[in-house]
Amino acid sequence: EIAPHQALICTGIGCASKLPPYATVNGPHTLHGRPGPVATGARLANHGSANELHILTVHGDGDGYGMGLGHFAHVARRNVGIVDVLQNNRIYGLTRGQYSPTSDRGMRTPTSPEGALDGPVPPLALAITMGATFVARGYPGQLPHLVSILGQALQHRGYALIDVLQPCVTFNRASAYDFYNARIYKLEEAGHDVTDRTAAWERAQEWGDRIPIGIFYRTEDMPAYEEQLAPMGASAPLTATEIAALRREAM
């Protein structure tokens, strides 16, 4: 029940960031790794009204966990009211198959013919550590489940991360649907308590023969960043004379 004009999707650079041209929605295409700051600005400029915008970022693992890792951490710790959808295919797909921040150590690619030396970024554990108040993982092979997670995230007060295990069947066939289908299990069916932050952090690092999807952690005990600020336009804007006076005082 969200009309197109009530949503804003900020994207970065990469395959995942091409979403706005395919959707009837407001969609600024921003700089590589920078949709978080743009979405934060949009959130601060559009809150406190009955027609408040639903603001999302949609980008890939290279954009969000590589170029934008610093922004990711700070948006999470501030608890900015946005839904951060990371399409994590564990490869740089747009630039034809280099290993990404979430690729496995030892992965052979055109730029790492002897195997990647880096270990993968643990995005869910990092988000929980930084103070994120909604942390989840979805999988397009379980589409109704992923849609349910997205719906719950859109109703959450504060920052919501959805890490989507997005198979790239062109450049990362080893981690395509057959790989995930044999390993995926749903947290809610395993009796996981989404309010237990320690248990969520431990589940977030589970990877191998079994890979959990679902909501890892959720709390509304922390106020959203924008809730602590007056809505923009709540007070009259400064006049030119007042701005000039402030400049003179600063000098």
Side-chain angles (χ1 to χ4, degrees), residues 14-77:
C15 301
S17 298
K18 294 180 177 181
L19 175 64
Y22 297 97
T24 306
V25 68
N26 302 296
H29 200 176
T30 74
L31 300 174
H32 198 4
R34 306 299 185 262
V38 175
T40 297
R43 176 77 289 154
L44 298 184
N46 294 275
H47 79 93
S49 69
N51 295 317
E52 185 169 303
L53 275 178
H54 295 272
I55 298 177
L56 304 88
T57 58
V58 177
H59 46 160
D61 44 307
D63 191 272
Y65 302 143
M67 292 290 289
L69 185 63
H71 295 306
F72 163 69
H74 290 300
V75 173
R77 76 176 180 86

Side-chain angles (χ1 to χ4, degrees), residues 155-245:
Q155 298 176 62
H156 178 71
R157 288 173 50 251
Y159 174 78
L161 170 68
I162 307 177
D163 181 78
V164 181
L165 299 176
Q166 183 74 52
C168 177
V169 298
T170 302
F171 296 112
N172 193 6
R173 295 181 182 178
S175 295
Y177 288 94
D178 288 345
F179 172 83
Y180 289 121
N181 289 340
R183 292 167 173 80
I184 290 295
Y185 76 93
K186 297 176 181 176
L187 286 171
E188 57 268 34
E189 295 176 357
H192 174 65
D193 180 0
V194 299
T195 67
D196 188 333
R197 190 165 182 258
T198 299
W201 188 83
E202 291 173 350
R203 291 271 193 180
Q205 298 183 84
E206 183 179 0
W207 187 272
D209 293 336
R210 284 169 58 79
I211 299 174
I213 60 173
I215 298 173
F216 288 71
Y217 182 65
R218 176 169 56 195
T219 180
E220 294 202 359
D221 291 342
M222 179 180 173
Y225 190 69
E226 65 275 8
E227 292 175 347
Q228 303 169 74
L229 301 171
M232 189 170 289
S235 58
L238 296 177
T239 65
T241 302
E242 291 171 328
I243 292 173

Side-chain angles (χ1 to χ4, degrees), residues 90-92 95-100 103-117 171-172:
R90 303 168 65 215
I91 199 76
Y92 278 111
T95 50
R96 304 182 65 81
Q98 299 85 357
Y99 75 93
S100 85
S103 297
D104 291 331
R105 190 189 304 273
M107 185 175 190
R108 297 178 182 272
T109 73
T111 54
S112 59
E114 297 181 0
L117 300 178
F171 296 112
N172 193 6

